[in-house]
């Protein structure tokens, strides 16, 4: 067992214990002063960043689910639109739409990432609107345009969610490093000031990290 941390979960436990030690009336004044001098507000910064990162995970997951839902809706409605076009306006109308998306099979288009699909259909709508020789039902195209716009918004929201989580991840990594550096200094100074038993009475212990490549010891 060791007082030193070797994972983010352990760092979090250590930071939470620091928070409790600061607030406990029974904590020796010498230890409070030592924590103040060595840790400062590093544990609060790390814990706040950790909580912020955890919050972005849920938001990112929800945004990705919303994007995937909008993607599925757009695909389904596009297939319905093609069926209606064929039934009401013949194969020429269907081929016009297919040509506008690059002439590729529809399933290939929907295999693309959602953002790429939005761009493909943006171009397709512009092509179709420029076809003076072609008359397509405006209500069907307007529906697809609205769904494409909804998919665009969902893609942007998902990208922002992912980017926000990445930023929060960098922040928590930085504040974790800062806290661990100060925490290790605290443990060394605390052992000199309070003795090993004094430190064990206040700080959590953790399993020592097994060296890489070693067996289980059995």
């Amino acid at each position: 067992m060791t007082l030193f941390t070797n994972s983010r979960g352990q760092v979090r436990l250590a930071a939470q214990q620091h928070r409790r030690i600061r607030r406990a009336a029974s904590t020796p004044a010498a230890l409070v002063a030592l924590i103040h001098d060595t840790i400062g507000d590093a544990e609060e910064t790390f814990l706040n960043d950790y909580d912020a990162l955890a919050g972005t995970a849920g938001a990112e997951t929800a945004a990705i689910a919303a994007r995937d839902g909008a993607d599925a809706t757009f695909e389904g409605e596009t297939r319905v639109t093609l069926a209606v076009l064929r039934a009401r306006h013949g194969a020429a109308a269907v081929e016009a739409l297919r040509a506008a998306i690059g002439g590729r099979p529809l399933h290939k288009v929907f295999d693309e990432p959602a953002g790429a699909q939005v761009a493909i259909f943006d171009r397709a709508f512009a092509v179709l609107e420029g076809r003076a020789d072609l008359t397509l039902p405006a209500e069907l195209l307007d529906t697809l345009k609205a769904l494409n716009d909804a998919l665009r918004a969902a893609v942007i929201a998902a990208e922002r969610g992912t980017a926000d989580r990445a930023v929060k991840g960098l922040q928590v990594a930085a504040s974790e490093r800062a806290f661990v550096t100060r925490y290790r200094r605290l443990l060394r100074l605390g052992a000199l000031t309070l003795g090993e038993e004094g430190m064990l009475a206040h700080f959590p212990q953790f399993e020592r990290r097994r060296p890489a490549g070693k067996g289980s010891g059995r």
Side-chain angles (χ1 to χ4, degrees):
M1 299 295 287
T2 177
L3 291 170
F4 292 92
T5 60
N6 52 60
S7 70
R8 177 165 291 175
Q10 293 179 0
V11 173
R12 184 176 179 232
L13 288 174
Q16 290 172 330
Q17 180 65 5
H18 273 82
R19 179 184 281 170
R20 287 190 288 269
I21 290 172
R22 286 180 190 267
R23 298 173 180 176
S26 60
T27 303
L31 180 54
V32 173
L34 184 60
I35 291 175
H36 177 77
D37 291 342
T38 55
I39 301 296
D41 61 355
E43 93 265 8
E44 286 296 333
T45 300
F46 167 66
L47 290 172
N48 289 338
D49 288 347
Y50 185 98
D51 290 342
L53 176 61
T56 61
E60 181 192 25
T61 298
I64 289 174
R67 180 203 63 196
D68 292 346
D71 191 8
T73 298
F74 182 71
E75 178 177 352
E77 289 296 326
T78 300
R79 294 185 183 281
V80 170
T81 297
L82 284 174
V84 172
L85 284 175
R86 182 178 297 278
R88 295 182 181 176
H89 303 276
V94 174
E95 290 308 314
L97 180 54
R98 285 179 173 167
I101 61 175
R104 300 166 61 190
L106 198 59
H107 72 274
K108 291 290 188 180
V109 174
F110 286 122
D111 283 343
E112 296 280 357
Q117 293 177 45
V118 169
I120 289 170
F121 277 92
D122 277 343
R123 292 192 294 270
F125 296 140
V127 168
L128 292 173
E129 289 173 351
R131 290 279 303 273
D133 61 316
L134 185 65
T135 302
L136 294 178
E139 68 277 7
L140 291 180
L141 290 182
D142 287 345
T143 296
L144 288 184
K145 288 177 185 177
L147 291 171
N148 198 46
D149 288 341
L151 179 55
R152 185 197 331 277
V155 167
I156 292 172
E159 289 174 347
R160 286 175 178 170
T162 298
D164 187 38
R165 188 178 184 189
V167 169
K168 293 295 192 299
L170 293 175
Q171 290 174 341
V172 76
S175 60
E176 179 185 14
R177 288 193 298 270
F179 171 72
V180 168
T181 298
R182 297 183 185 192
Y183 181 52
R184 290 179 176 275
R185 182 167 179 263
L186 170 67
L187 293 179
R188 289 191 291 268
L189 293 176
L192 296 174
T193 304
L194 302 175
E196 184 177 352
E197 292 301 317
M199 296 299 288
L200 291 174
H202 294 284
F203 295 95
Q205 297 182 66
F206 307 103
E207 292 284 346
R208 291 183 182 274
R209 175 183 290 171
R210 181 178 292 130
K214 296 292 183 181
S216 64
R218 292 185 295 177

